[in-house]
Amino acid sequence: MKDLSELNINILKLLKEDARRSPSLIATMLGVEEEEVRAAITEMEEDHVIVKYATILNWSKVNDEKVTALIEVQITPERGRGFEGIAERIYLFPQVKSVYLMSGAYDLLVEVEGKNLREVASFVSDKLSPIEAVLSTKTHFILKKYKQEGIIYEDHEDDQRLVVSP
């Protein structure tokens, strides 16, 4: 694990807020030379500190039906590899969007995306559950997203009611 400079951390924070910010704008915001920002970004990309630039989408605004599920998975760790081998087997499925090692009542939290409920259910029953180390699964379907990655999806109106006091 690499210790990052204060400049690099500040660059990462600015890119996390908006990945479209140019090195020129970031340099201006931080009061440093553009070339210094470009070099820092390139180095962090090469070191896989910056892995990908992504767009957060509000799929409810698009006529594209998708189903997302969070699946709690209890597993038996593999001798010598712990949870790594099982996690790798799971995250290689194309339906799997994220896999997290968790503390608490289950071991892995798996985020899966499918075209419909049947497709996600089929993934759980045909691909995930048959893995020998998987002891149990519990599937939770996401009905609506209110906030993701710090972004609130819906505009909300301020409460216009009058304050009533005794």
Side-chain angles (χ1 to χ4, degrees), residues 75-76 86 89 127-135:
I75 62 175
T76 302
I86 307 330
R89 244 180 109 183
K127 300 218 164 89
L128 186 59
S129 294
I131 296 173
E132 189 174 318
V134 172
L135 300 174

Side-chain angles (χ1 to χ4, degrees), residues 79-166:
R79 173 173 265 132
R81 290 196 71 199
F83 298 105
E84 301 298 318
I86 307 330
E88 182 178 336
R89 244 180 109 183
I90 293 169
Y91 70 60
L92 288 175
F93 288 112
Q95 302 90 326
V96 174
K97 300 303 169 199
S98 302
V99 177
Y100 305 99
L101 180 61
M102 305 296 289
S103 64
Y106 54 94
D107 304 304
L108 298 175
L109 181 65
V110 179
E111 181 181 359
V112 175
E113 196 172 82
K115 293 177 190 165
N116 52 46
L117 293 171
R118 186 177 300 124
E119 188 175 278
V120 173
S122 176
F123 169 79
V124 174
S125 63
D126 298 343
K127 300 218 164 89
L128 186 59
S129 294
I131 296 173
E132 189 174 318
V134 172
L135 300 174
S136 69
T137 64
K138 188 185 293 185
T139 303
H140 306 273
F141 289 96
I142 295 176
L143 303 177
K144 182 176 181 178
K145 290 183 182 179
Y146 294 100
K147 184 176 181 178
Q148 181 179 351
E149 297 287 329
I151 305 299
I152 298 171
Y153 282 121
E154 301 295 329
D155 293 332
H156 62 280
E157 294 181 21
D158 292 334
D159 193 349
Q160 299 295 322
R161 295 179 291 177
L162 296 174
V163 176
V164 178
S165 58

Side-chain angles (χ1 to χ4, degrees), residues 2 11 18-19 30 41 52 57 63-64 67 70 73-75 80 82-83 93-94 96 109 116 137-138 142 149 158:
K2 185 177 182 176
I11 291 169
D18 185 353
L30 297 177
I41 290 172
K52 182 179 180 178
L57 303 170
N63 191 12
D64 184 25
V67 174
L70 300 176
V73 184
Q74 274 190 305
I75 62 175
F83 298 105
F93 288 112
V96 174
L109 181 65
N116 52 46
T137 64
K138 188 185 293 185
I142 295 176
E149 297 287 329
D158 292 334

